[in-house]
Structure formats: C-alpha cells, structure tokens
Amino acid sequence: ILRHLFSVDWEKLAAPAGLIAWLNRYHQGEPIPPLLAEHWLTKVAPLNAAYRAWPLAEWLHSREAFQTFVTQEWQGFVAGQTEKHLGETKPVYQLAFAADAQLQDTLPQLVRSGAVRPVTLAEADPLPAWARPGVRVSTADFIQKRADALLAMLAESAEDWSALRWMQWQAVAQLWAELTTLRHHPQPHLTEAQQTAYARQQAQLDNHFATWLASRYAPLAGQRLPHPHQLFHVPHWMAYERRQSAGNKVALLVMDGLSLAAWHVIASAWRQRHLDWQWQESSVLAQVPSLTAVSRQALVSGERPYHFADTITHNRQEKQQWLTFWARENVPDSACAYARLKLDADAPPPDVLSSSRVQALCLIYNGIDEMVHGATQGLTGVFATLSTWLHGEGGKQLELALAELLARGYTVYLTSDHGHTEAWGMGQPAEGVTVQTRSKRARIYRDYNAALAVQAAFPQTRLWASQRVLPDDMWVLLPEGGDGRRLAFAPKGERVVTHGGITLDEMVVPLVRLTR
C-alpha cells in the first residue's frame, strides 16, 4: 500500500535528499492513515544514522513543521554563502545543500510547493547557478515568479476538475489563496498577462467548484469524524479530541470573516513571532449560504442549519447554543463560557480568559469582518488594512489573548465562519417582504416562486435548495460571474468586498489546532 498509493521507495528514503523530496510530494496529497504512518516511521528511522535526531513523526504529520525546517536549513545555507564569518567556524546544517547534488536538483520543486521560501538578497552573484531558484533580488521579481508557479500548479489541477476529491480541493484552495494575496498585494507587481490569467483561472474555478459543491455538499455533511468537513462538525471534533485527551480544556476562536488568503498573511507573521506555538492546519467548508447568521450559528451550535430554522436570520442564540452542545458532552454551564473579544487599547480582556473553572470556551472576534465590510478599495485595501492591523494594537492584543490561553493549558481551535471576495454590482432586486435576508452575495427566500421570479430578472444567479442541510422551505439565490468578474446584489458597477456565495474564497476557511 505504501509503495503503490504513497510512492514509498525505501532505498531512496535512505538518502536525506530522497526523504525531503518524498515528504515534499506527500504533503501535497492526502494524509497517510495512522497504522501506515506508524509503519513508515518504524521503517524509515533506521535507514540513516542522521534520522535518529530528526523529528520524523512531526514532519510526517505537520506540513508546517516540515516546511519550517526546510526553509530554515535553506536560509542557513544562503547565509553561510553570503555572510562573512570573521575567524568563526561556519555553522553546520542538517541538509547539505552545498554538497548534495540530488538536494540541489530538488530545490526548484521545494520552492514551487512553498516548502522553501526564497531568501531576499541585494544580488544573487555570490551563489552558484543551481541556487538561484531559492533567492530573490526584489519583491516584484519574487511575486511574479511565484505567481507563475502557482498558475502552473492550478493549471495542472484543472486537467480533470470533475475527478477532484475534497482533499484535493483543499490543496487547490490553498494555492488559490496564496495567489490571491499576490494578486491583491498593496504594491501591484503582477504583469498584465498574469492579471489576465488570474481572471481566467478565477472564472474556471468558480464554475467547477460550484458544480462539485452541488453534488458533494450534502454527502460531506454526514462525515463529521475523525476529520470535520463542514463548520457544524467542528464542535464534535473538539469534543472527540477532548475525550481522547482525558478532558483537556478547549477554546474555539472564531475570527469572523477570515478567508484562507487573509489567514495566509496572518499565519506567516505569527509563525515567525511564536516559535513555541505548534500548528495543525487544515480547512473546512462553511455552510451555504456563507453568511454569519447561518455559518457561525452552525459552527457554535454543532447543528445543521436545518435544525435551527427559527433563528437562522440572526445570531442572538449563540451563547445558549454553545452551552447546549457542551451540556450533551456532560460539561456543565458553569464550566462553559462564550464571549466577544474586544481588542481596543482601552478594553480590558474578558474575565473568561483567566477563569480557572472554564473547560469549553468560545471567543468571537469581529475585527477581520469589520475590515472587509469597511473596505472601499476592494481586496487590495483589505490586505493593506490587514498588514497594518498585524503590526498594530489589535493584532498584538489578539496574539496576547492566544498566548494567555495556551499558557493556561487550552487547546485552541481557530477558524472562521466564512471568507470573503471582491465582487461587482449587477443591480438590486426590489422584491419587498418576500425576501428573508438581503445580502450582496446571497438572498434567502421562504417562497420558491418568489425566488424564481427574482432569478428570472437576474439570470446570472444560481438557486440553492435545502439538500437536508438547510431547512426544507428555504431557497437561496446566489450571484455567479460575468465579464470575468464575480457579481453581487449591489448598485450596478459598484465594487464591494462581501460574502455569502459559494466560491472557494467564501466557502473554504482555515481550521487550525493550536498548542504549545
């Protein structure tokens, strides 16, 4: 099984370069089952004496840990080649980039997958030719090369969209999120050809992902363990892991409106600042429609939207829903807490952060969503604001809150209720009281004929029905795309940053398990 499904060749794994190349390919596919992972570790460890000191289990189970190691080794090699060591012995690194030709040949693949983050240099002349893929001489040069690599990887995935499974869509979503951060970098660096390729790729992704989601959304709703697939599975996963660890304290941090692309920016900064934080990253599907009242309520309650039809248009019952879920797990109300994080400089941290009685904590942070809805310059403006926030008081206080939770022994589960996207107005329906919820990317109806009437006036829309995840008497009208742009129920031609639809950017959100 290891040989045929995971391309394991023990002879090649005996060389460090072969092991690194295999791990790099492995982390772009589906995870190895626990029994096979244990066998892999048993067989690999004795193959090379150097492996005894290497955290192979951590690298196998954590893409982030593996990529951090390889990047640090590469940075060490570059520093050794370009910095002067006055009378000092150069530090020794575990990956012999200078002497290992096989490792040198693997470097372009490591850079392409993101396992090696290129080092910025004033000039690349001191380095041999084989090392050039791992360095950059300017931000614009790096962004353009990285965008080309991401577009190429997305094109490879597009060879058979219909055959992709959820694990593969998650990988596509990660590639697309990184490309989106480059496309909307506050300083424009992509060429005109890359901008055109981005728009073309977006239109293809939207079409194929919507088709895939229509057929797989309901079946995935029934698969909540051992890995969550939709947001309402997350509390069940937390409870399952809590039982496995004899009742450790758990905290759910909901960063309202956090997209995969925004998380890519935040995580990059946090990893550099907090070397003692351990990350287990994946992603999960938001609920359809990807609105706060639907998705966050499902996340906090652990219920399909089908089961909270009476409150589906608001979030006023979230605290009680959180308590009710944990009561079913035999955690009393006195050991549960729900709070909204206010991270202004003058606002004191919630008391629940320091409470010794709380075993199951839910924290809601609205700062990202406020950036999104306050954006006037599209997604580029959102990323500019996000960068300022990361280095300002709000970002620092959120990090302090997380550090406090980790210091108090919590396992923190960080996620979002939905992502966000940039869209352009196509006009607004005037349907009066027949619509239940008016959002720019989703409108909810309880009357099927009313939904059809609006769709007839706005043909560039998709009608989404229950699938036994939404209430049976609910229909959602979702704008699609036109002229290479995503559309919204907004004044014609107006640019908005919003959510509610079923694109990768709105539907696939980060799910991070954080410990020390």
Side-chain angles (χ1 to χ4, degrees):
I1 292 173
L2 286 170
R3 183 171 66 254
H4 290 289
L5 297 187
F6 294 95
S7 303
V8 171
D9 184 324
W10 303 113
E11 185 176 347
K12 291 181 179 179
L13 293 185
L19 175 66
I20 294 302
W22 183 86
L23 284 167
N24 186 51
R25 292 192 301 272
Y26 165 72
H27 281 301
Q28 298 173 56
E30 298 197 32
I32 196 168
L35 183 63
L36 293 178
E38 183 179 343
H39 181 68
W40 184 91
L41 289 165
T42 302
K43 293 275 285 184
V44 168
L47 293 178
N48 191 307
Y51 296 170
R52 296 171 188 166
W54 290 11
L56 296 177
E58 187 177 0
W59 295 349
L60 182 65
H61 296 301
S62 171
R63 179 186 64 185
E64 292 71 32
F66 167 70
Q67 292 184 344
T68 298
F69 164 75
V70 178
T71 289
Q72 289 174 344
E73 291 291 302
W74 174 247
Q75 290 171 343
F77 164 77
V78 174
Q81 298 295 307
T82 57
E83 296 177 3
K84 294 181 179 180
H85 298 266
L86 300 177
E88 299 177 5
T89 303
K90 289 186 178 181
V92 177
Y93 291 89
Q94 299 177 71
L95 295 183
F97 280 102
D100 192 329
Q102 185 183 353
L103 202 55
Q104 295 168 9
D105 291 342
T106 306
L107 180 63
Q109 285 73 42
L110 295 172
V111 173
R112 187 179 181 189
S113 69
V116 163
R117 291 185 282 279
V119 177
T120 302
L121 299 175
E123 56 179 349
D125 290 343
L127 295 174
W130 65 262
R132 301 296 171 84
V135 298
R136 63 188 187 196
V137 294
S138 72
T139 300
D141 175 64
F142 165 71
I143 286 178
Q144 289 172 11
K145 288 180 179 178
R146 184 61 182 156
D148 280 339
L150 292 167
L151 286 165
M153 286 188 279
L154 285 167
E156 290 174 10
S157 302
E159 292 176 2
D160 191 2
W161 292 112
S162 60
L164 294 187
R165 300 169 61 189
W166 167 233
M167 283 296 299
Q168 294 164 311
W169 273 113
Q170 290 181 80
V172 170
Q174 293 287 353
L175 296 175
W176 180 249
E178 185 181 352
L179 183 60
T180 297
T181 66
L182 303 183
R183 163 64 179 82
H184 295 283
H185 192 279
Q187 298 296 325
H189 294 299
L190 265 61
T191 65
E192 186 174 340
Q194 289 175 325
Q195 300 272 14
T196 301
Y198 178 92
R200 183 169 59 249
Q201 190 67 261
Q202 176 179 277
Q204 293 177 355
L205 274 174
D206 288 357
N207 179 51
H208 290 290
F209 182 67
T211 301
W212 176 86
L213 193 66
S215 64
R216 295 302 303 157
Y217 182 70
L220 288 174
Q223 301 177 34
R224 72 185 188 192
L225 291 175
H227 304 290
H229 288 79
Q230 295 186 12
L231 277 177
F232 78 90
H233 298 158
V234 171
H236 299 275
W237 179 51
M238 294 173 62
Y240 169 75
E241 290 212 327
R242 183 174 180 272
R243 291 193 297 270
Q244 299 295 106
S245 59
N248 282 358
K249 296 192 291 186
V250 294
L252 174 64
L253 172 59
V254 184
M255 295 183 68
D256 191 354
L258 179 71
S259 67
L260 268 183
W263 170 245
H264 182 86
V265 175
I266 293 171
S268 178
W270 284 2
R271 284 196 194 96
Q272 295 178 33
R273 297 177 193 168
H274 303 283
L275 299 180
D276 62 330
W277 290 7
Q278 294 207 351
W279 315 75
Q280 177 185 324
E281 291 192 57
S282 61
S283 49
V284 68
L285 284 168
Q287 308 305 144
V288 181
S290 53
L291 299 172
T292 301
V294 178
S295 242
R296 199 171 79 200
Q297 206 171 167
L299 170 59
V300 170
S301 69
E303 298 278 7
R304 298 171 183 239
Y306 180 88
H307 294 294
F308 52 82
D310 292 343
T311 64
I312 203 165
T313 59
H314 63 81
N315 294 87
R316 294 190 292 273
Q317 295 299 314
E318 283 183 355
K319 179 177 180 179
Q320 185 56 50
Q321 289 167 334
W322 179 252
L323 298 178
T324 299
F325 174 85
W326 287 101
R328 293 196 295 266
E329 295 292 327
N330 297 316
V331 179
D333 288 0
S334 59
C336 291
Y338 169 97
R340 293 176 180 267
L341 274 179
K342 300 291 186 183
L343 298 178
D344 300 327
D346 299 330
D351 293 337
V352 294
L353 290 183
S354 56
S355 172
S356 59
R357 294 192 306 170
V358 176
Q359 298 294 311
L361 172 62
C362 178
L363 295 171
I364 309 294
Y365 177 65
N366 291 322
I368 306 298
D369 202 52
E370 291 170 0
M371 292 180 208
V372 169
H373 291 293
T376 58
Q377 301 298 318
L379 271 181
T380 301
V382 172
F383 283 113
T385 305
L386 183 64
S387 179
T388 302
W389 172 87
L390 259 177
H391 300 94
E393 194 64 29
K396 291 177 182 177
Q397 288 205 18
L398 182 57
E399 290 177 63
L400 288 173
L402 280 169
E404 176 74 10
L405 291 171
L406 295 172
R408 290 184 174 275
Y410 280 95
T411 297
V412 179
Y413 298 81
L414 183 155
T415 190
S416 170
D417 49 358
H418 54 75
H420 54 261
T421 188
E422 184 176 280
W424 298 81
M426 62 175 178
Q428 296 170 288
E431 70 275 74
V433 297
T434 60
V435 65
Q436 296 289 308
T437 298
R438 295 178 176 87
S439 171
K440 293 174 181 176
R441 288 280 294 166
R443 295 173 88 86
I444 296 176
Y445 300 85
R446 288 292 175 87
D447 185 312
Y448 178 62
N449 291 324
L452 285 180
V454 176
Q455 186 177 35
F458 291 85
Q460 289 177 304
T461 55
R462 176 187 292 260
L463 193 58
W464 189 278
S466 164
Q467 298 194 7
R468 300 295 286 181
V469 183
L470 282 173
D472 288 337
D473 63 342
M474 181 172 288
W475 292 269
V476 185
L477 201 59
L478 304 164
E480 296 190 303
D483 298 326
R485 291 173 168 179
R486 291 167 177 167
L487 299 177
F489 294 120
K492 199 167 184 65
E494 180 181 295
R495 180 171 62 176
V496 296
V497 181
T498 185
H499 56 91
I502 55 172
T503 64
L504 279 174
D505 303 81
E506 297 161 284
M507 284 294 298
V508 183
V509 296
L511 179 60
V512 184
R513 183 181 183 273
L514 191 59
T515 55
R516 283 178 64 179

